[in-house]
Amino acid sequence: MPQRRKEPHVTKGNILDDLGFEPEVSFQLKVKSELHIAILKLIRKRGYNPTELAHVLGIPQPRVSELMRGKLSTLSLDKLAEYADRLDSDPSVKVSLKDKQAA
């Protein structure tokens, strides 16, 4: 049996970079996950059940399930932005310089 590491891994900024994703993929996953989290907060705040959410978003029930379970591989950034819009939200993008220490 291989020995387990006794020290925890400390990320140097973005965990997706540490996992070996290409920078472009890492960036897209980060943006998608942040938008997804915001959408889930809106859904919970408004108290939609799955049937209501399917109607509001104009999607079938299986897509609601994928959204709620965080299956980001099935959701494009465009589709997430569309869902945010259909939930009457005002999504925005923030761009800032990278922290030199994290890079």
Side-chain angles (χ1 to χ4, degrees):
M1 180 183 301
Q3 288 225 318
R4 298 179 82 188
R5 289 178 90 177
K6 295 185 186 215
E7 297 178 30
H9 173 76
V10 178
T11 184
K12 295 178 176 83
N14 185 340
I15 188 69
L16 298 169
D17 291 336
D18 289 353
L19 290 172
F21 287 98
E22 293 294 323
E24 298 82 16
V25 174
S26 175
F27 176 76
Q28 185 178 28
L29 288 172
K30 183 178 180 196
V31 172
K32 282 172 72 172
S33 67
E34 288 177 5
L35 186 53
H36 179 254
I37 289 167
I39 289 169
L40 291 179
K41 285 180 182 178
L42 283 170
I43 292 167
R44 288 185 186 116
K45 182 177 180 180
R46 295 185 181 152
Y48 289 121
N49 67 41
T51 304
E52 293 168 332
L53 190 56
H55 178 72
V56 168
L57 298 179
I59 58 176
Q61 191 69 37
R63 300 293 84 80
V64 170
S65 179
E66 290 173 353
L67 174 67
M68 297 306 293
R69 291 189 292 138
K71 293 210 165 202
L72 296 182
S73 63
T74 65
L75 299 164
S76 69
L77 195 49
D78 289 342
K79 193 53 80 173
L80 287 168
E82 179 185 323
Y83 294 165
D85 182 58
R86 288 185 181 192
L87 290 167
D88 291 326
S89 69
D90 189 18
S92 62
V93 176
K94 176 185 162 189
V95 177
S96 59
L97 293 174
K98 290 182 180 179
D99 181 6
K100 292 290 183 186
Q101 292 178 343

